[in-house]
Amino acid sequence: MLKDNYGRSIDYLRISVTDRCNLRCVYCMPDTIKSGCHHDGKIASDSVLSYEEILRFVRAAAPLGIKKVRLTGGEPLVRSLIHELIRGIKSTEGIEELSLTTNGQRLSETAALMAECGLDRVNVSLDSLQPQRYAEITQGGSLDKAMAGIEAARAAGLLPIKLNMVPMSGVNDDEIEAFIRFGIRTGYQIRFIELMPTVVNEHIFNKGFIGSDEIRQRIEKEFLLTPLKVRKHGPARYFNVMSRHEPRSAGVIGIINAVTCRFCTQCNRLRLTSDGRLRPCLYSNIEVGLCSALRTNASKEDLQSLIIQAVDLKPERHHIPEDAASAASGAPFIMSGIGG
Ligand code: SAM
Ligand code: SF4
């Protein structure tokens, strides 16, 4: 079992399989990001870990106690043959759960095969239920494709399906209630994620950030929220949600307050970046480089000592300042390469 210096057990690994994406969400990859990210999703860079390298890493990490893996990015479904990576990870002894976060644009073609290869479930990002607005926020995405992908994931049994929505003031915050009604109608779990400041989104963060308390107050005008006890290791708090007007219809929502709440005491995760750095905290520049070890055929034991080194460096807590201006100017990362 991996334990850090603050007594936390580390059993969850998030892997960014690529920093590329077929969309350009305004808060994640605005036009200012140029290098390494192509709309077509082609992998051109040597620095991105190969599937073989990722698998070697997972096979070293699992005996240390990593049980849960999530594939993310960038957009994981722009990497070809992603199902092969899924098969390899899921057949690794000790890996109990494998999930994936996607924008859904290629999910309708891939969901069934990924499920067959061992994927357990998916989270799909969906920031608007309005086609035109969805296209604007994602700078080119198709809401129809995302919806078809979500349906395909349901048909493939990739359950429960969680839909990630980042509410932004003046952009899509007027849809919070519509998302809840959509979740109640369909059974999908809606997760409202606080917008996080990064090096590329200062403008939108300063204008659009809505804290989880405000999100909750807005929801409670129309819905009754009952907290669910299960508070796992992440920043999400889950609630049963019921319409005040139609009390027989209910669903589950999550509110993820990565910025305003310090969930760090329960943090159980490590992140492997697309170019082979192991990052013990999303919001800290501390990292351990693995690329050369993976490319020089270092032994499993050598890889394991690098993993232990990263866990030893895991900071006690993140230091995202809670006022927007200093947060955005001090933010040390771009989400896509590290994995949101
Ligand atoms: N491309 C995939 C997707 O969009 O689901 C996976 C990668 S994306 C970086 C993972 C999640 O991070 C998405 O739900 C996205 O909305 C969220 N995200 C990206 N940038 C964010 C930011 N600055 N603040 C909060 N959430 C962010
Ligand atoms: Fe791409 Fe996901 Fe970032 Fe949107 S949030 S630009 S879909 S990586």
Side-chain angles (χ1 to χ4, degrees):
M1 178 63 85
L2 278 171
K3 277 234 183 232
D4 73 2
N5 291 324
Y6 305 95
R8 295 170 295 196
S9 301
I10 310 299
D11 62 2
Y12 181 24
L13 173 67
R14 295 172 73 101
I15 303 174
S16 173
V17 296
T18 175
D19 60 352
R20 288 158 217 281
C21 189
N22 46 356
L23 298 183
R24 287 288 182 278
C25 299
V26 288
Y27 53 84
C28 177
M29 284 198 196
D31 297 334
T32 43
I33 301 191
K34 293 265 189 303
S35 66
C37 309
H38 303 299
H39 255 100
D40 62 8
K42 287 198 183 116
I43 304 296
S45 161
D46 285 347
S47 62
V48 174
L49 293 182
S50 67
Y51 288 166
E52 202 188 329
E53 289 160 350
I54 294 174
L55 276 175
R56 282 186 57 218
F57 178 80
V58 171
R59 286 175 188 146
L64 292 176
I66 294 293
K67 295 191 180 78
K68 279 175 46 177
V69 175
R70 174 174 294 276
L71 303 180
T72 179
E75 171 51 35
L77 301 187
V78 301
R79 273 200 82 167
S80 57
L81 306 179
I82 189 81
H83 61 278
E84 297 291 358
L85 179 65
I86 288 169
R87 197 198 311 274
I89 293 177
K90 198 54 194 297
S91 59
T92 302
E93 198 178 325
I95 300 299
E96 294 169 6
E97 189 186 298
L98 178 58
S99 56
L100 177 142
T101 304
T102 174
N103 60 35
Q105 296 294 298
R106 295 193 179 173
L107 191 53
S108 63
E109 305 99 273
T110 49
L113 185 54
M114 292 195 297
E116 258 174 61
C117 291
L119 188 68
D120 293 303
R121 53 191 187 80
V122 286
N123 288 8
V124 183
S125 302
L126 200 67
D127 290 322
S128 176
L129 295 168
Q130 302 171 17
Q132 179 60 32
R133 187 183 274 176
Y134 178 91
E136 280 163 17
I137 295 173
T138 57
Q139 301 193 78
S142 153
L143 181 62
D144 281 350
K145 280 191 185 164
M147 289 295 190
I150 293 165
E151 273 308 310
R154 190 211 289 262
L158 295 171
L159 302 169
I161 291 171
K162 298 183 181 176
L163 303 183
N164 291 344
M165 192 250 188
V166 179
M168 290 165 280
S169 187
V171 177
N172 61 355
D173 60 328
D174 56 342
E175 291 189 66
I176 291 174
E177 295 82 0
F179 264 92
I180 297 180
R181 288 193 289 275
F182 178 65
I184 290 176
R185 205 167 63 244
T186 55
Y188 303 136
Q189 290 184 18
I190 310 296
R191 297 167 13 117
F192 297 103
I193 303 181
E194 272 180 352
L195 177 64
M196 297 178 74
T198 74
V199 279
V200 293
N201 73 4
E202 177 174 357
H203 177 65
I204 188 145
F205 180 82
N206 285 336
K207 264 179 57 185
F209 176 77
I210 309 179
S212 61
D213 286 347
E214 189 183 335
I215 295 172
R216 189 171 167 174
Q217 281 161 16
R218 297 260 308 260
I219 294 172
E220 285 184 318
K221 287 189 183 144
E222 189 175 329
F223 301 92
L224 287 166
L225 292 183
T226 315
L228 289 169
K229 286 235 168 60
V230 274
R231 172 148 195 154
K232 292 206 192 150
H233 300 284
R237 284 175 303 161
Y238 285 94
F239 300 86
N240 268 321
V241 61
M242 192 190 282
S243 164
R244 289 182 188 276
H245 313 297
E246 289 174 67
R248 275 179 304 160
S249 37
V252 172
I253 63 160
I255 300 181
I256 292 134
N257 44 359
V259 178
T260 58
C261 167
R262 307 238 177 263
F263 63 96
C264 306
T265 51
Q266 297 162 61
C267 182
N268 64 340
R269 43 189 84 176
L270 282 179
R271 291 168 194 269
L272 180 61
T273 68
S274 51
D275 58 357
R277 291 167 287 129
L278 193 55
R279 210 163 158 124
C281 173
L282 172 64
Y283 217 95
S284 153
N285 278 332
I286 295 170
E287 52 194 24
V288 171
L290 293 168
C291 228
S292 59
L294 286 167
R295 287 184 178 157
T296 53
N297 284 330
S299 67
K300 186 189 262 193
E301 290 70 27
D302 287 343
L303 288 175
Q304 287 177 330
S305 52
L306 290 170
I307 295 170
I308 291 164
Q309 193 183 323
V311 169
D312 278 343
L313 291 170
K314 192 168 169 71
E316 186 175 13
R317 44 164 282 202
H318 74 60
H319 293 276
I320 307 178
E322 285 172 22
D323 79 284
S326 53
S329 58
F333 70 98
I334 293 175
M335 196 69 93
S336 47
I338 298 169

